[in-house]
Amino acid sequence: MMNRIKNGLAKALGIVFAILVVFFAAPADAVFADNSRDDITPLSKAAILYEETSDTVIYEKNKDMQLPPASMTKVMTAIIVLEDNPDLEGSLTVDPRAVKRYYCSWKDQDVHLEADEEISCYECMKFMLVFSANEATNAFAFSMYDDYGDFVDRMNKKAQELGCKNTHFSDTSGLSSTNLTTPEDMVIMCREAMKNEKFREIVRSEKGELPVSNKRTEPTPYNTFLKLKYPDERYKNPYSEYIIGIKTGWIPASGYCYSCCMEKDGYVYYSVVMGGEETEVNGQWVQGDFLDTLNLLKLTDDFKPPAFKPVTVIIAAVIAALALAAGLVLLKRRK
C-alpha cells in the first residue's frame, strides 16, 4: 500500500515538473497572442495591441521588427527631461545650435522656436509633443547637456534600463532614419512616459500656442496631429472619447507611425503601429497608421481578460510540487 502511494506521488510530481517545463519554455505572451487572426493591420509593417491591467498581448504582428520610429522618438526624449524635472518647472533659453540645420534638418516654416527664445519648460514640452516640434527636443537637450551626444547616450541607457531590447537612438527628434525601435519596445516606453501626470495632460491636448516671449510679440497657435482623438470627417470613430494620447511620427524612411493609449471599461490599452502607408478611401487619401489602429481598437469591444495568467499557473505548480515533495519526505520518515 505504501509503495502505491509513493509511486502515485512520484508520478504526480513528474506531471507537475512537466507542466513547469512547458510554461517556462514558452514565451509568456504566446499564451495570449492570437496568431490565428487575419492580418487586421494590412497597411502597416508591424503592430501590437496590449492591455495593461491584465498584462495581455491581444494582437501582434512583427512586434520585434526594428523600424524607424520617427517622431515617436520624442516619447523617450520626454522621459529623460521628466526624470530631471517631473513637474516641468522653470524655463529655458533656446540654444542657437538647437535650430541649426546640423541638429534640426526640418522645422515648420511658420511655427517654430527662435534662437535665444525664452520659454517655460512646460510650454516647450507641449510644443514638442503636441506639435511634434523638432527644435524643441534640441532645446531641451542643450539646456541639460553642452554635448548633444550626452543626451542621446542617456536616451539609449534609459531604453536598456526599461528593458527595451531592440531600440537605439541617434537623435532626440526622430528625424534620423538610424533611430530604431519595435512595437513591443515602444509600448514599454509609452507606459513609462504615461506614469507622469504632466506628460499625460500634455499628450491629450488638442491645441496649444507658443506664448509671447523675448522673440515673439504675439502668441503663435498650433494643433495636434492626433486625428483619432480629434478626428476630421476621414477619421470619425467611436473611440475618440476614450483615447488619451500619445504620439504620431513620420519621415520618408519610417512611413506613418502611431502610438495610442486608450482607457475604456476599466482597461488600459496601448497600441503601436509602424511602417504605415497611405491609402485612398472614397476619393480621399488617409493614413494607414490611423486606419490600422482603428482595427486594433475594435478588438477591445469584446475583450475579456484571460481567466488565469501563466505566472499564476507556474506559482500553483511550484506550490504543488513542493507539497508533493514534502509528502514524500514524510512517507520516508514514517517508514
Side-chain angles (χ1 to χ4, degrees), residues 15-304:
I15 292 171
V16 171
F17 179 77
I19 291 172
L20 288 173
V21 169
V22 170
F23 273 97
F24 276 115
D29 58 353
V31 176
F32 301 123
D34 186 355
N35 296 315
S36 66
R37 292 184 191 273
D38 293 333
D39 183 5
I40 63 170
T41 56
L43 298 172
S44 302
K45 293 179 180 178
I48 193 171
L49 175 63
Y50 171 80
E51 199 288 303
E52 184 175 52
T53 63
S54 61
D55 191 27
T56 305
V57 176
I58 301 171
Y59 175 90
E60 60 95 356
K61 182 180 82 172
N62 300 327
K63 67 177 181 178
D64 295 324
M65 180 182 283
Q66 282 189 310
L67 295 164
S71 283
M72 293 195 304
T73 295
K74 295 177 174 73
V75 174
M76 177 55 80
T77 301
I79 289 172
I80 300 304
V81 174
L82 292 166
E83 273 195 333
D84 287 4
N85 188 3
D87 296 322
L88 295 175
E89 298 174 336
S91 61
L92 60 83
T93 299
V94 179
D95 190 293
R97 291 172 292 179
V99 297
K100 291 203 176 283
R101 190 170 182 81
Y102 182 82
Y103 294 102
C104 184
S105 60
W106 189 90
K107 63 179 183 289
D108 190 273
Q109 291 288 324
D110 301 315
V111 186
H112 58 263
L113 294 172
E114 302 284 353
D116 297 318
E117 183 169 3
E118 296 174 6
I119 186 171
S120 72
C121 291
Y122 181 88
E123 292 299 341
C124 190
M125 179 68 75
K126 189 171 183 178
F127 189 45
M128 181 182 89
L129 294 173
V130 176
F131 192 64
S132 203
N134 298 311
E135 71 276 17
T137 71
N138 298 336
F140 276 121
F142 283 116
S143 72
M144 295 171 64
Y145 295 94
D146 184 61
D147 188 332
Y148 180 84
D150 288 343
F151 190 98
V152 176
D153 287 344
R154 186 168 166 186
M155 292 169 67
N156 287 313
K157 182 179 179 182
K158 185 64 179 180
Q160 292 179 352
E161 290 175 357
L162 291 175
C164 299
K165 299 177 182 178
N166 298 290
T167 295
H168 176 77
F169 296 110
S170 300
D171 69 16
T172 60
S173 63
L175 287 170
S176 172
S177 61
T178 59
N179 282 9
L180 294 172
T181 191
T182 68
E184 185 174 50
D185 282 0
M186 201 67 227
V187 167
I188 293 173
M189 289 181 273
C190 289
R191 292 177 66 194
E192 178 68 15
M194 292 292 278
K195 292 177 183 177
N196 182 278
E197 289 302 319
K198 293 294 184 182
F199 183 94
R200 292 172 66 90
E201 174 186 308
I202 286 172
V203 295
R204 70 189 307 163
S205 301
E206 180 179 8
K207 59 185 68 174
E209 61 180 25
L210 292 173
V212 173
S213 70
N214 60 322
K215 296 287 184 176
R216 197 175 306 275
T217 57
E218 59 183 29
T220 305
Y222 57 83
N223 295 305
T224 184
F225 294 100
L226 298 186
K227 296 299 185 182
L228 296 191
K229 172 65 177 172
Y230 301 101
D232 56 27
E233 62 178 11
R234 298 171 299 168
Y235 302 111
K236 287 182 179 179
N237 68 88
Y239 306 104
S240 58
E241 63 179 302
Y242 305 110
I243 294 172
I244 58 172
I246 60 176
K247 193 71 192 74
T248 58
W250 181 87
I251 56 173
S254 72
Y256 289 99
C257 303
Y258 179 36
S259 297
C260 176
C261 182
M262 181 177 78
E263 294 182 350
K264 181 167 73 81
D265 301 328
Y267 297 112
V268 181
Y269 301 96
Y270 286 90
S271 66
V272 177
V273 293
M274 300 181 70
E277 303 173 355
E278 280 187 314
T279 189
E280 192 173 4
V281 177
N282 298 326
Q284 292 183 302
W285 286 100
V286 294
Q287 294 179 205
D289 58 334
F290 290 147
L291 295 188
D292 282 353
T293 295
L294 285 178
N295 286 337
L296 290 176
L297 297 184
K298 289 175 185 176
L299 298 180
T300 69
D301 291 342
D302 57 358
F303 173 73
K304 299 293 181 185

